[in-house]
Amino acid sequence: MKFENDTLAEHKTFDWLRFRQVLIEIEAMAAETENDPNGPVKEFQLLHHCGALKLVLPDHALDFNRTNTPALLQLLNDIGKANLSVGRIFEGHINTLYLIHLYATPKQRHKWFNGVIENGDIFGIWNTQNQNGIQYAETNSQLEIAGSKTFCSGAMLVNKALITGNIKTVERDGWQMAIIDMDRISKDQIDKESWKPLGMKASGSYTVDFSGYQLDDSELLGEPGVYLKQPYFNGGAIRFAAVQLGGAEAIAEYTTNYLKELNRTDDPFQQLRLSCIMSAVMSGRLWLQQAGKYFDSWVNEGNHDEDLIAFANMTRVNMEEICLTVMDNSNRCVGARGLMETGNLGRIFRDLTFYLRQPAPDATRLNVAKFFINNPSAFHE
Ligand SMILES: Cc1cc2nc3c(=O)[nH]c(=O)nc-3n(C[C@H](O)[C@H](O)[C@H](O)COP(=O)(O)OP(=O)(O)OC[C@H]3O[C@@H](n4cnc5c(N)ncnc54)[C@H](O)[C@@H]3O)c2cc1C
């Protein structure tokens, strides 16, 4: 499998060759990791030791303080290509570090960033919940959590979890972020029966019950409501789209190799399908490159929020179509023999099919339509 990142390859503080080797190792372990209930523990040790967990921190290769989004998207794409579940957990880590970068106090930022550098801390971001979602209740000036989160990716290996929930105290009222210490959550509070998905098994996205966790003020991140602040909230969809495209690229590569092995690449029907697959992959890359450039030019400007959100929404829904096109054509290329459960293609099909199901896909498309109804000449440069 090929992995590329021009920005990282040229960066003096990051060992790109070592990282590329790590990606190859992660890919080689993917079949075994799929059925490991502890998830990709070894993979994250490797990512820690090659410096990938801290890449976005100040003075590192993809420092959030600089305009590095295209290279960051490429990095997420590469990790997704190696293993979509590892990509999902890694994206959550990056997303959390970004929210810390945006909203933490200098003291909190120092503590949490230092944990990544010194200790290899892995962050997760868990917002999804059912009816028994998170409440922060105050008794005698002590905050205590009640409730659960669902879809907690990496629950068995994340050690710092950003969760969201309702708070109502004298000082705070609204949807509040907190970063809690998973070492203080007993393993019994992670419901192992809650994660029996079609794909993305290795993401270990279990339901976690946080009830009884005593929260310190220093663990609260930002003011109530900032989690949903735009353009950051919707704009971030380009990151998971980048991971998803990695899965589609892996399918494209495996499909071509499979046809080569069977001497079927001279067949015009197979060539037609490969043409569709590679065109879709290339479209995905172009969406990501442009989305990264727009993100860097607009995110802090304040007067392009709607454009940024619309472009991120389009990137996300187009990536869904692109990945479905790649899977559909690959499926017909390789046929039943190429889709055995234990094969790499079978696993990536399961993972990508499942990972494409992200929140509010219909509403996202409607928002794109509304944006263009109100801004018919948008994106004419
Ligand atoms: C592998 C994986 C890992 C994840 N990890 C995390 C994580 O770490 N942290 C986290 O917070 N979340 C995580 N999630 C959850 C994710 O963010 C979404 O919440 C979830 O995938 C959406 O699930 P759904 O497709 O069942 O949603 P639904 O909202 O049920 O959508 C399903 C369909 O119903 C439609 N629909 C939605 N609402 C309505 C309605 N009212 N009436 C009619 N139709 C409707 C939608 O448009 C869509 O077509 C993860 C998801 C996956 C797949």
Side-chain angles (χ1 to χ4, degrees), residues 307-345:
D307 303 279
L308 199 156
I309 293 166
F311 205 84
N313 282 342
M314 282 194 290
T315 305
R316 177 201 148 167
V317 295
N318 276 287
M319 205 59 81
E320 182 187 343
E321 303 299 343
I322 284 164
C323 292
L324 290 172
T325 299
V326 169
M327 282 197 284
D328 183 33
N329 281 283
S330 162
N331 206 311
R332 293 165 204 249
C333 276
V334 302
R337 275 196 285 160
L339 288 172
M340 292 297 162
E341 191 186 339
T342 48
N344 284 318
L345 267 175

Short mmCIF file of all heavy atoms in Angstrom, two decimals, residues 307-345:
data_model
loop_
_atom_site.label_atom_id
_atom_site.label_comp_id
_atom_site.label_asym_id
_atom_site.label_seq_id
_atom_site.Cartn_x
_atom_site.Cartn_y
_atom_site.Cartn_z
N ASP A 307 -19.77 30.10 4.03
CA ASP A 307 -19.10 29.43 2.89
C ASP A 307 -18.35 28.19 3.38
O ASP A 307 -18.39 27.13 2.76
CB ASP A 307 -18.08 30.38 2.23
CG ASP A 307 -18.71 31.66 1.77
OD1 ASP A 307 -19.32 31.66 0.70
OD2 ASP A 307 -18.62 32.67 2.49
N LEU A 308 -17.64 28.39 4.50
CA LEU A 308 -16.82 27.28 5.02
C LEU A 308 -17.70 26.09 5.39
O LEU A 308 -17.40 24.94 5.05
CB LEU A 308 -16.06 27.79 6.25
CG LEU A 308 -14.85 26.98 6.68
CD1 LEU A 308 -13.89 27.85 7.46
CD2 LEU A 308 -15.24 25.80 7.53
N ILE A 309 -18.83 26.37 6.06
CA ILE A 309 -19.73 25.29 6.47
C ILE A 309 -20.33 24.61 5.24
O ILE A 309 -20.37 23.37 5.15
CB ILE A 309 -20.85 25.84 7.39
CG1 ILE A 309 -20.25 26.32 8.71
CG2 ILE A 309 -21.93 24.80 7.64
CD1 ILE A 309 -21.17 27.19 9.54
N ALA A 310 -20.75 25.43 4.26
CA ALA A 310 -21.35 24.84 3.04
C ALA A 310 -20.34 23.97 2.32
O ALA A 310 -20.67 22.87 1.86
CB ALA A 310 -21.85 25.96 2.12
N PHE A 311 -19.09 24.44 2.25
CA PHE A 311 -18.09 23.64 1.52
C PHE A 311 -17.77 22.35 2.29
O PHE A 311 -17.61 21.28 1.68
CB PHE A 311 -16.81 24.45 1.25
CG PHE A 311 -16.07 23.91 0.06
CD1 PHE A 311 -16.41 24.30 -1.23
CD2 PHE A 311 -15.05 22.98 0.22
CE1 PHE A 311 -15.75 23.77 -2.34
CE2 PHE A 311 -14.39 22.44 -0.87
CZ PHE A 311 -14.74 22.85 -2.17
N ALA A 312 -17.72 22.45 3.61
CA ALA A 312 -17.48 21.23 4.43
C ALA A 312 -18.65 20.27 4.28
O ALA A 312 -18.46 19.05 4.13
CB ALA A 312 -17.28 21.62 5.89
N ASN A 313 -19.87 20.80 4.30
CA ASN A 313 -21.05 19.93 4.12
C ASN A 313 -21.01 19.24 2.76
O ASN A 313 -21.29 18.04 2.64
CB ASN A 313 -22.34 20.77 4.21
CG ASN A 313 -22.71 21.11 5.65
OD1 ASN A 313 -22.23 20.48 6.58
ND2 ASN A 313 -23.55 22.11 5.83
N MET A 314 -20.64 20.00 1.73
CA MET A 314 -20.57 19.39 0.39
C MET A 314 -19.46 18.35 0.32
O MET A 314 -19.61 17.30 -0.30
CB MET A 314 -20.33 20.47 -0.67
CG MET A 314 -21.58 21.23 -1.01
SD MET A 314 -21.36 22.17 -2.52
CE MET A 314 -20.23 23.41 -1.98
N THR A 315 -18.33 18.67 0.94
CA THR A 315 -17.21 17.71 0.94
C THR A 315 -17.68 16.40 1.57
O THR A 315 -17.46 15.31 1.05
CB THR A 315 -16.01 18.26 1.74
OG1 THR A 315 -15.67 19.53 1.20
CG2 THR A 315 -14.82 17.34 1.68
N ARG A 316 -18.37 16.54 2.68
CA ARG A 316 -18.81 15.36 3.42
C ARG A 316 -19.81 14.52 2.63
O ARG A 316 -19.65 13.31 2.51
CB ARG A 316 -19.43 15.86 4.73
CG ARG A 316 -20.00 14.79 5.56
CD ARG A 316 -21.00 15.29 6.54
NE ARG A 316 -21.96 14.23 6.71
CZ ARG A 316 -22.86 14.19 7.65
NH1 ARG A 316 -22.96 15.16 8.52
NH2 ARG A 316 -23.68 13.17 7.74
N VAL A 317 -20.83 15.17 2.03
CA VAL A 317 -21.84 14.36 1.33
C VAL A 317 -21.28 13.83 0.01
O VAL A 317 -21.63 12.73 -0.43
CB VAL A 317 -23.19 15.11 1.14
CG1 VAL A 317 -23.84 15.39 2.48
CG2 VAL A 317 -23.04 16.37 0.33
N ASN A 318 -20.41 14.60 -0.62
CA ASN A 318 -19.78 14.08 -1.85
C ASN A 318 -18.86 12.91 -1.53
O ASN A 318 -18.76 11.97 -2.32
CB ASN A 318 -19.02 15.19 -2.58
CG ASN A 318 -19.97 15.97 -3.46
OD1 ASN A 318 -20.40 15.48 -4.49
ND2 ASN A 318 -20.34 17.16 -3.04
N MET A 319 -18.19 12.97 -0.39
CA MET A 319 -17.31 11.86 -0.02
C MET A 319 -18.13 10.59 0.19
O MET A 319 -17.69 9.50 -0.16
CB MET A 319 -16.53 12.22 1.25
CG MET A 319 -15.25 11.46 1.35
SD MET A 319 -14.18 11.80 -0.06
CE MET A 319 -13.45 13.35 0.40
N GLU A 320 -19.32 10.76 0.74
CA GLU A 320 -20.19 9.59 0.91
C GLU A 320 -20.49 8.98 -0.46
O GLU A 320 -20.36 7.76 -0.65
CB GLU A 320 -21.48 10.01 1.62
CG GLU A 320 -22.41 8.83 1.87
CD GLU A 320 -23.78 9.25 2.41
OE1 GLU A 320 -23.93 10.39 2.89
OE2 GLU A 320 -24.70 8.43 2.32
N GLU A 321 -20.89 9.83 -1.42
CA GLU A 321 -21.21 9.32 -2.77
C GLU A 321 -19.97 8.68 -3.42
O GLU A 321 -20.06 7.63 -4.06
CB GLU A 321 -21.72 10.45 -3.69
CG GLU A 321 -22.94 11.20 -3.16
CD GLU A 321 -24.18 10.33 -2.97
OE1 GLU A 321 -24.21 9.22 -3.53
OE2 GLU A 321 -25.09 10.75 -2.24
N ILE A 322 -18.82 9.33 -3.25
CA ILE A 322 -17.57 8.82 -3.84
C ILE A 322 -17.24 7.43 -3.28
O ILE A 322 -16.93 6.50 -4.03
CB ILE A 322 -16.43 9.83 -3.55
CG1 ILE A 322 -16.58 11.03 -4.50
CG2 ILE A 322 -15.05 9.19 -3.65
CD1 ILE A 322 -15.78 12.26 -4.07
N CYS A 323 -17.35 7.30 -1.97
CA CYS A 323 -17.03 6.00 -1.34
C CYS A 323 -18.02 4.94 -1.79
O CYS A 323 -17.64 3.79 -2.03
CB CYS A 323 -17.02 6.13 0.18
SG CYS A 323 -15.66 7.15 0.78
N LEU A 324 -19.30 5.30 -1.91
CA LEU A 324 -20.30 4.33 -2.37
C LEU A 324 -20.02 3.91 -3.81
O LEU A 324 -20.13 2.74 -4.16
CB LEU A 324 -21.71 4.92 -2.24
CG LEU A 324 -22.22 5.09 -0.80
CD1 LEU A 324 -23.54 5.86 -0.78
CD2 LEU A 324 -22.39 3.75 -0.09
N THR A 325 -19.61 4.88 -4.65
CA THR A 325 -19.28 4.56 -6.05
C THR A 325 -18.09 3.60 -6.11
O THR A 325 -18.09 2.62 -6.87
CB THR A 325 -18.92 5.87 -6.82
OG1 THR A 325 -20.06 6.71 -6.79
CG2 THR A 325 -18.51 5.61 -8.25
N VAL A 326 -17.07 3.89 -5.31
CA VAL A 326 -15.89 3.02 -5.31
C VAL A 326 -16.28 1.61 -4.86
O VAL A 326 -15.89 0.62 -5.50
CB VAL A 326 -14.78 3.61 -4.39
CG1 VAL A 326 -13.66 2.61 -4.16
CG2 VAL A 326 -14.24 4.90 -4.98
N MET A 327 -17.08 1.52 -3.80
CA MET A 327 -17.46 0.19 -3.31
C MET A 327 -18.31 -0.56 -4.33
O MET A 327 -18.11 -1.75 -4.57
CB MET A 327 -18.21 0.32 -1.98
CG MET A 327 -17.27 0.58 -0.82
SD MET A 327 -18.03 0.25 0.78
CE MET A 327 -19.06 1.68 0.94
N ASP A 328 -19.26 0.16 -4.95
CA ASP A 328 -20.15 -0.49 -5.91
C ASP A 328 -19.36 -1.07 -7.09
O ASP A 328 -19.53 -2.23 -7.47
CB ASP A 328 -21.17 0.56 -6.40
CG ASP A 328 -22.19 -0.04 -7.34
OD1 ASP A 328 -22.53 -1.22 -7.16
OD2 ASP A 328 -22.63 0.66 -8.27
N ASN A 329 -18.44 -0.25 -7.62
CA ASN A 329 -17.66 -0.72 -8.78
C ASN A 329 -16.67 -1.81 -8.40
O ASN A 329 -16.50 -2.79 -9.16
CB ASN A 329 -16.94 0.46 -9.43
CG ASN A 329 -17.88 1.26 -10.31
OD1 ASN A 329 -18.21 0.85 -11.41
ND2 ASN A 329 -18.36 2.39 -9.80
N SER A 330 -16.06 -1.67 -7.24
CA SER A 330 -15.10 -2.69 -6.80
C SER A 330 -15.82 -4.03 -6.60
O SER A 330 -15.34 -5.09 -7.00
CB SER A 330 -14.43 -2.24 -5.50
OG SER A 330 -13.83 -3.34 -4.87
N ASN A 331 -17.00 -3.93 -5.99
CA ASN A 331 -17.82 -5.10 -5.74
C ASN A 331 -18.04 -5.90 -7.02
O ASN A 331 -17.87 -7.13 -7.07
CB ASN A 331 -19.16 -4.54 -5.25
CG ASN A 331 -19.89 -5.51 -4.38
OD1 ASN A 331 -20.02 -6.65 -4.77
ND2 ASN A 331 -20.35 -5.05 -3.23
N ARG A 332 -18.40 -5.18 -8.10
CA ARG A 332 -18.66 -5.85 -9.38
C ARG A 332 -17.35 -6.35 -10.00
O ARG A 332 -17.33 -7.36 -10.69
CB ARG A 332 -19.33 -4.90 -10.35
CG ARG A 332 -20.73 -4.51 -9.92
CD ARG A 332 -21.18 -3.31 -10.72
NE ARG A 332 -22.20 -2.56 -10.03
CZ ARG A 332 -23.47 -2.48 -10.43
NH1 ARG A 332 -23.87 -3.13 -11.47
NH2 ARG A 332 -24.32 -1.74 -9.74
N CYS A 333 -16.25 -5.62 -9.78
CA CYS A 333 -14.94 -6.03 -10.32
C CYS A 333 -14.49 -7.37 -9.74
O CYS A 333 -14.06 -8.25 -10.47
CB CYS A 333 -13.85 -5.01 -9.95
SG CYS A 333 -13.72 -3.59 -11.02
N VAL A 334 -14.56 -7.48 -8.43
CA VAL A 334 -13.92 -8.65 -7.79
C VAL A 334 -14.89 -9.81 -7.61
O VAL A 334 -14.46 -10.96 -7.45
CB VAL A 334 -13.29 -8.29 -6.42
CG1 VAL A 334 -12.26 -7.20 -6.59
CG2 VAL A 334 -14.33 -7.89 -5.39
N GLY A 335 -16.21 -9.52 -7.64
CA GLY A 335 -17.19 -10.59 -7.51
C GLY A 335 -17.14 -11.28 -6.15
O GLY A 335 -16.42 -10.84 -5.24
N ALA A 336 -17.88 -12.36 -6.04
CA ALA A 336 -18.02 -13.03 -4.73
C ALA A 336 -16.69 -13.54 -4.19
O ALA A 336 -16.40 -13.41 -3.00
CB ALA A 336 -19.00 -14.19 -4.88
N ARG A 337 -15.85 -14.07 -5.09
CA ARG A 337 -14.57 -14.63 -4.61
C ARG A 337 -13.68 -13.58 -3.96
O ARG A 337 -12.86 -13.90 -3.11
CB ARG A 337 -13.83 -15.25 -5.80
CG ARG A 337 -14.27 -16.67 -6.07
CD ARG A 337 -13.28 -17.36 -6.94
NE ARG A 337 -13.36 -16.90 -8.33
CZ ARG A 337 -12.38 -17.05 -9.21
NH1 ARG A 337 -11.23 -17.60 -8.84
NH2 ARG A 337 -12.53 -16.64 -10.45
N GLY A 338 -13.83 -12.36 -4.42
CA GLY A 338 -13.00 -11.28 -3.85
C GLY A 338 -13.56 -10.73 -2.55
O GLY A 338 -12.95 -9.86 -1.93
N LEU A 339 -14.73 -11.20 -2.16
CA LEU A 339 -15.40 -10.59 -1.01
C LEU A 339 -15.60 -11.56 0.15
O LEU A 339 -16.61 -11.49 0.85
CB LEU A 339 -16.76 -10.03 -1.45
CG LEU A 339 -16.69 -8.77 -2.32
CD1 LEU A 339 -18.06 -8.41 -2.85
CD2 LEU A 339 -16.12 -7.61 -1.52
N MET A 340 -14.66 -12.46 0.33
CA MET A 340 -14.77 -13.40 1.45
C MET A 340 -14.53 -12.66 2.77
O MET A 340 -13.75 -11.71 2.83
CB MET A 340 -13.76 -14.54 1.28
CG MET A 340 -14.10 -15.45 0.11
SD MET A 340 -15.70 -16.26 0.39
CE MET A 340 -16.12 -16.79 -1.25
N GLU A 341 -15.20 -13.12 3.82
CA GLU A 341 -15.18 -12.42 5.10
C GLU A 341 -13.77 -12.17 5.61
O GLU A 341 -13.47 -11.13 6.18
CB GLU A 341 -15.99 -13.21 6.13
CG GLU A 341 -16.23 -12.44 7.41
CD GLU A 341 -16.90 -13.28 8.48
OE1 GLU A 341 -17.51 -14.31 8.14
OE2 GLU A 341 -16.77 -12.90 9.65
N THR A 342 -12.89 -13.16 5.39
CA THR A 342 -11.55 -13.05 5.97
C THR A 342 -10.59 -12.23 5.10
O THR A 342 -9.47 -11.94 5.53
CB THR A 342 -10.94 -14.45 6.15
OG1 THR A 342 -11.15 -15.16 4.93
CG2 THR A 342 -11.59 -15.20 7.30
N GLY A 343 -11.00 -11.87 3.91
CA GLY A 343 -10.10 -11.10 3.03
C GLY A 343 -10.04 -9.64 3.42
O GLY A 343 -10.94 -9.12 4.12
N ASN A 344 -8.98 -8.95 2.96
CA ASN A 344 -8.84 -7.53 3.27
C ASN A 344 -10.00 -6.72 2.70
O ASN A 344 -10.53 -5.82 3.35
CB ASN A 344 -7.52 -7.00 2.70
CG ASN A 344 -6.35 -7.44 3.55
OD1 ASN A 344 -6.43 -7.42 4.78
ND2 ASN A 344 -5.28 -7.88 2.92
N LEU A 345 -10.39 -7.06 1.45
CA LEU A 345 -11.48 -6.29 0.85
C LEU A 345 -12.78 -6.44 1.64
O LEU A 345 -13.50 -5.47 1.87
CB LEU A 345 -11.70 -6.74 -0.60
CG LEU A 345 -10.95 -5.93 -1.65
CD1 LEU A 345 -11.16 -6.55 -3.03
CD2 LEU A 345 -11.40 -4.48 -1.68
#
